[in-house]
Amino acid sequence: MFSQKDRYAAGAYEGTEVSSSLEFTKEQDKTKEEAGMGTKIGFVFSLIVTSVLLIASLVLVLFWIFMYRGSYAWQENPRIEFNWHPTLMIGGFIFCSGFSMLFYRMMTCCRKIYVKLLHTVFHALSIACIAIGFLTVWDAHELVTPKIPHFYSLHSWLGLTTMGLFAIQFVIGFFSFLILLCCEGATAACRASLVPTHATFGIITFVMACATACAGLTEKAIFELGASSYSHWSSPESIIVNVLGITIAASAISLVFTLSVPSIRKMPMRMTYHTDL
């Protein structure tokens, strides 16, 4: 049997242990709260940086075309009509597609069905830009004398590959995440299993688009300025082209970081139903 003194000592020890446990729990909660605040700050900062870079890419290509490439035209002037190609491809593949993915991650306070609709609208705008951009470069090769061969360069091969990936992504995304919502409960598991693949290939397609754009900018600069002029920085246009390429590359890095870093990717989004994917 324990004496009364022993019981008092045991009670005091248990009280100290409980107090220490509570203090440890409070410290853990404080650490989690600080970590959560740091994650939110990083999330907002990465969104701002990525948004600025995507907008800068579109602004720079417009500045380049208006200041150095003679603005825009249609089929009556195929050489100037070509200027629609870099503008619309950067506008579609990089600006619209980039913001489409960014909005999907940015709008954490909205019902996910609305986020998905906005995601789809931006991808539809991308398709329109890409289609017209492709037609303009086709005209620029076909309507001149002598005709320029099609699909001979690395840029064109990368572009065709990127367009194919983009088309597959859009078709799968449209039918899997919008049409199948009419059978929401029955297709929830299928849609959930497609999310990681769809997201991964979306990022791959965007990075491919950025690489294709940089290859195309270099090809255009060498053709128009000449290798000698381009390599000796004798034209301000070469600097503009290089800055545009660096901005596109930086937007790819920033977007991949924003969408892929676990602490940012797991920021909560508002869910209307547990099957709302």
Side-chain angles (χ1 to χ4, degrees), residues 236-256:
E237 183 179 357
S238 63
I239 299 175
I240 296 297
V241 171
N242 284 354
V243 170
L244 174 57
I246 288 294
T247 304
I248 291 171
S251 68
I253 294 169
S254 184
L255 186 73
V256 170

Side-chain angles (χ1 to χ4, degrees), residues 221-239 242:
I222 292 174
F223 283 171
E224 294 294 336
L225 302 177
S228 177
S229 176
Y230 183 50
S231 62
H232 288 86
W233 299 72
S234 59
S235 169
E237 183 179 357
S238 63
I239 299 175
N242 284 354

Side-chain angles (χ1 to χ4, degrees), residues 11-12 15 37 43 53 66 82 90 100 111 115 121 123 129 141 143 145 171 184 198 204 206-207 229 235 252 265 267:
M37 182 59 67
F43 177 63
L53 289 170
F66 278 110
F82 177 88
I90 290 175
S100 174
R111 288 182 58 182
V115 177
V121 167
H123 271 306
C129 289
H141 284 216
L143 300 180
T145 305
V171 170
E184 184 178 356
H198 182 70
I204 291 172
F206 182 81
V207 172
S229 176
S235 169
R265 190 180 70 244
M267 289 287 291

Side-chain angles (χ1 to χ4, degrees), residues 57-213:
S57 298
L58 186 60
V59 171
L60 281 170
V61 72
L62 290 170
F63 177 80
W64 173 46
I65 296 300
F66 278 110
M67 292 297 295
Y68 297 102
R69 293 288 98 211
S71 187
Y72 298 97
W74 202 238
Q75 293 181 338
E76 68 277 2
N77 191 341
R79 183 173 176 275
I80 303 299
E81 182 187 5
F82 177 88
N83 293 339
W84 286 108
H85 177 67
T87 305
L88 291 173
M89 289 304 188
I90 290 175
F93 268 126
I94 295 171
F95 182 81
C96 290
S97 292
F99 271 112
S100 174
M101 292 185 285
L102 205 60
F103 282 146
Y104 198 83
R105 200 70 211 81
M106 182 190 302
M107 301 176 67
T108 59
C109 60
C110 302
R111 288 182 58 182
K112 210 161 186 185
I113 182 62
Y114 300 143
V115 177
K116 282 192 284 188
L117 288 173
L118 185 62
H119 182 72
T120 305
V121 167
F122 267 81
H123 271 306
L125 290 173
S126 298
I127 290 174
C129 289
I130 293 165
I132 298 172
F134 180 80
L135 290 175
T136 56
V137 73
W138 184 273
D139 284 348
H141 284 216
E142 281 290 315
L143 300 180
V144 294
T145 305
K147 294 182 179 181
I148 301 173
H150 296 285
F151 313 128
Y152 65 90
S153 66
L154 175 63
H155 167 68
S156 61
W157 286 26
L158 287 172
L160 290 173
T161 303
T162 306
M163 289 172 65
L165 286 173
F166 186 89
I168 293 170
Q169 273 287 98
F170 184 82
V171 170
I172 292 175
F174 184 80
F175 283 98
S176 299
F177 302 112
L178 289 178
I179 300 298
L180 292 181
L181 282 177
C182 63
C183 306
E184 184 178 356
T187 62
C190 176
R191 286 182 286 121
S193 66
L194 287 172
V195 168
T197 302
H198 182 70
T200 300
F201 274 93
I203 293 174
I204 291 172
T205 303
F206 182 81
V207 172
M208 283 283 293
C210 291
T212 303

